Amino acid sequence: MSGQSITDRITAAQHSVTGSAVSKTVCKATTHEIMGPKKKHLDYLIHCTNEMNVNIPQLADSLFERTTNTSWVVVFKSLITTHHLMVYGNERFVQYLASRNTLFNLSNFLDKSGLQGYDMSTFIRRYSRYLNEKAVSYRQVAFDFTKVKRGVDGVMRTMNTEKLLKTIPIIQNQMDALLDFNVNANELTNGVINAAFMLLFKDSIRLFAAYNEGIINLLEKYFDMKKTQCKEGLDIYKKFLTRMTRISEFLKVAEQVGIDRGDIPDLSQAPSSLLEALEQHLASLEGKKVKDSTAASRASTLSNAVSSLASTGMSFTKVDEREKQAALEEEQARLKALKEQRLKELSKRPSFATTDTSPVSTTGGTINTAPAIDLFSTPSCSNGAVKMESDLFDLQSTFQPPMQSASSGLPVATAWAGYSAPQPPSQPPAGGLQVDFESVFGAKASGSNSLNADDITGGILKPTLAGSNLSSNQQPEKLVSDDLDSSLANLVGNLGIGNGTMKK
């Protein structure tokens, strides 16, 4: 199987819809591809552990959920991702794992999909046990043995006797779980198990370095211990010799799979005479008969043993420092590549400050001094455009009523309401509405044009009638009105004529 499966793509798409970038990255790091998790996904998850707004329990739960998959590839890569974050991520990730009662329950995991699934399932069970033990160790001592300060003033070298006798067995349990991975060079056949082995290899170097310093501290205090403490210390030292043989075999596998010889530390065995001296000292405390040994001989034996173990510790420390330096150089190279890529992207973008058409350019063309457009101003007319003659919202204080043409009487179009009468040649009197009282009260005859003198609406409200041109001999009592004012005026005139007739 190669490439991402359809299930991988669907799962990643589901997390894209829900907006969970962390869960989506976990899915991408633990796909069905038979290769180790991609570095870009691991780097992103490491960055997430350093962000305070990232939910660490959610991140851990996403990894635990992936271990429930039936595919050995997905489960194995989930364990590798978890291990990577425990080693390189923020310490609060390990703290959360240590606070959980249970981590990986994979002691019965078995992928029956093929022969490779059967083989890899064995290493998955062993690997999960080591990660569980690593978290338990942190819970018991509240620090990671692979990250403690080392040297003469290191944590394990300065620990008192009581605490030392309780701490070293915890390191031994974690070391046992690591060495129980028990892989041979011919079993490292794919990128997934190779990635797991590399993490275990780095852990083994740091863990054994702390283990070695604890033993040095134990030996320096051994001849000053009480009988019960000496008994515990002797048992711890014997187990150390056994694990030293096993770690040597583990490092040989690392050399066989192509790890550089300079990255593999040298192990210096303590002289066998030291074990004999420790046993004789305990026997003497128990009252047994032992060979006579001087304090000078014991001191010489102890000094030689401590020197050998210190040499081993220096070798492990140098390898660890070399790895840290290589990681630092790799990170610097990555940052340099990112910087160069960023500069290339910026150089491809068009420059807006040096073109001739730019309004701020002073080197090429002329400066654009066109005034800014006011979106809220009244649009003006220019270049021969017809300007609006009237504004419906600009009401005049006085009206000049149009006069109907005496020749034709037909309305013409205007901008006010659509139609109005054409203007007569004579200028109408200014000053608003004019009423001819002499015509109303009979002093002067009303002409046909006087009927339209008060038409302020331009003839719009006047109905079109046949024979609208009235003759001069038409009876004045006939009510022909264009608006309310002229109707009232004609009504008053009729009443006045009637009264005059009655008087006669």
Side-chain angles (χ1 to χ4, degrees):
M1 182 184 300
S2 62
Q4 295 186 21
S5 65
I6 297 178
T7 304
D8 295 331
R9 299 180 185 276
I10 293 176
T11 305
Q14 289 175 345
H15 290 297
S16 298
V17 173
T18 59
S20 178
V22 173
S23 299
K24 179 181 178 181
T25 306
V26 168
C27 290
K28 287 183 173 292
T30 59
T31 59
H32 288 77
E33 296 175 280
I34 304 180
M35 58 180 293
K38 293 182 179 179
K39 188 177 184 302
K40 63 179 181 179
H41 299 144
L42 295 177
D43 290 344
Y44 177 79
L45 294 176
I46 290 173
H47 174 73
C48 289
T49 63
N50 293 314
E51 292 293 329
M52 298 306 297
N53 60 339
V54 173
N55 191 333
I56 295 297
Q58 179 187 355
L59 171 58
D61 289 341
S62 298
L63 291 168
F64 293 144
E65 181 183 358
R66 297 295 282 173
T67 60
T68 61
N69 199 286
T70 58
S71 171
W72 71 266
V73 182
V74 175
V75 176
F76 217 154
K77 292 172 75 170
S78 301
L79 297 177
I80 294 170
T81 303
T82 304
H83 192 183
H84 193 90
L85 296 182
M86 294 176 76
V87 174
Y88 300 105
N90 192 283
E91 190 174 2
R92 64 196 189 112
F93 180 77
V94 184
Q95 289 174 348
Y96 173 74
L97 296 182
S99 68
R100 292 176 61 101
N101 294 328
T102 58
L103 292 180
F104 301 107
N105 187 17
L106 298 171
S107 58
N108 297 320
F109 177 80
L110 181 62
D111 186 349
K112 301 179 181 179
S113 61
L115 181 60
Q116 192 176 31
Y118 276 95
D119 295 337
M120 294 297 107
S121 296
T122 301
F123 296 107
I124 286 175
R125 294 192 295 268
R126 296 172 181 175
Y127 194 28
S128 64
R129 178 176 175 268
Y130 169 70
L131 295 181
N132 287 342
E133 194 63 40
K134 185 178 177 72
V136 170
S137 297
Y138 189 94
R139 183 192 307 165
Q140 292 175 326
V141 298
F143 59 82
D144 189 344
F145 289 115
T146 63
K147 298 180 181 180
V148 294
K149 181 181 179 181
R150 294 194 293 270
V152 179
D153 57 345
V155 174
M156 300 303 298
R157 291 291 295 272
T158 58
M159 198 172 288
N160 59 52
T161 303
E162 291 78 11
K163 190 173 183 180
L164 184 66
L165 293 174
K166 293 179 180 179
T167 303
I168 292 181
I170 298 174
I171 301 180
Q172 287 178 339
N173 292 335
Q174 185 175 342
M175 179 63 70
D176 288 343
L178 188 151
L179 297 175
D180 284 343
F181 192 72
N182 195 24
V183 65
N184 297 323
N186 57 359
E187 293 172 319
L188 298 174
T189 56
N190 59 75
V192 180
I193 191 172
N194 291 348
F197 180 78
M198 285 302 301
L199 289 175
L200 290 172
F201 169 72
K202 294 175 181 178
D203 265 15
S204 67
I205 293 176
R206 297 166 183 160
L207 185 60
F208 190 83
Y211 190 13
N212 186 73
E213 290 191 349
I215 294 298
I216 293 175
N217 190 11
L218 176 69
L219 294 176
E220 291 174 343
K221 292 179 168 62
Y222 182 80
F223 293 101
D224 297 327
M225 291 180 183
K226 300 176 183 179
K227 181 176 67 174
T228 55
Q229 293 175 337
C230 284
K231 189 174 182 179
E232 291 180 21
L234 180 60
D235 183 62
I236 288 173
Y237 181 72
K238 289 180 178 179
K239 291 180 178 178
F240 171 76
L241 295 178
T242 303
R243 281 140 185 88
M244 200 170 195
T245 303
R246 295 186 64 189
I247 191 67
S248 177
E249 295 174 353
F250 185 84
L251 297 178
K252 286 181 181 178
V253 175
E255 186 178 357
Q256 291 172 3
V257 296
I259 295 179
D260 190 83
R261 188 67 185 85
D263 295 333
I264 300 176
D266 296 323
L267 293 177
S268 300
Q269 296 282 348
S272 58
S273 57
L274 175 62
L275 179 60
E276 184 179 354
L278 297 177
E279 291 176 340
Q280 288 182 357
H281 178 70
L282 177 61
S284 66
L285 293 178
E286 292 176 344
K288 297 178 181 179
K289 188 177 180 179
V290 295
K291 294 186 200 179
D292 292 335
S293 60
T294 62
S297 64
R298 286 202 311 265
S300 176
T301 302
L302 179 61
S303 176
N304 292 334
V306 170
S307 177
S308 299
L309 295 178
S311 169
T312 299
M314 288 296 296
S315 177
F316 276 81
T317 301
K318 287 180 180 179
V319 171
D320 191 22
E321 292 297 330
R322 193 179 300 115
E323 181 196 348
K324 291 180 179 178
Q325 182 64 28
L328 181 61
E329 293 176 357
E330 180 183 355
E331 183 67 17
Q332 290 177 347
R334 187 177 69 88
L335 292 176
K336 183 179 179 180
L338 290 176
K339 183 178 179 180
E340 293 176 354
Q341 181 181 0
R342 181 61 177 168
L343 292 176
K344 289 181 180 178
E345 292 177 355
L346 292 176
S347 63
K348 291 180 181 179
R349 294 182 179 180
S351 177
F352 297 101
T354 59
T355 59
D356 293 345
T357 57
S358 173
V360 296
S361 174
T362 57
T363 58
T366 59
I367 298 177
N368 186 3
T369 58
I373 299 175
D374 188 358
L375 299 178
F376 300 97
S377 63
T378 303
S380 60
C381 298
S382 61
N383 299 328
V386 179
K387 185 176 180 180
M388 182 69 71
E389 295 183 356
S390 62
D391 190 347
L392 296 179
F393 297 100
D394 186 14
L395 299 179
Q396 300 290 337
S397 58
T398 59
F399 287 97
Q400 294 182 1
M403 301 298 293
Q404 187 176 359
S405 175
S407 61
S408 63
L410 296 177
V412 296
T414 65
W416 170 250
Y419 295 96
S420 67
Q423 294 293 333
S426 61
Q427 185 70 22
L433 188 62
Q434 301 293 328
V435 179
D436 190 354
F437 288 98
E438 294 180 355
S439 173
V440 170
F441 291 101
K444 184 178 5 180
S446 300
S448 60
N449 291 336
S450 64
L451 295 177
N452 296 325
D454 298 326
D455 186 4
I456 65 173
T457 62
I460 297 303
L461 300 180
K462 183 173 66 176
T464 303
L465 299 176
S468 58
N469 294 328
L470 300 177
S471 60
S472 59
N473 59 355
Q474 186 177 358
Q475 296 296 328
E477 64 267 17
K478 184 176 181 180
L479 182 60
V480 180
S481 175
D482 292 334
D483 54 17
L484 182 59
D485 292 336
S486 59
S487 300
L488 291 176
N490 282 293
L491 180 60
V492 172
N494 292 336
L495 291 175
I497 295 172
N499 290 335
T501 307
M502 294 176 63
K503 289 177 181 180
K504 289 182 180 180

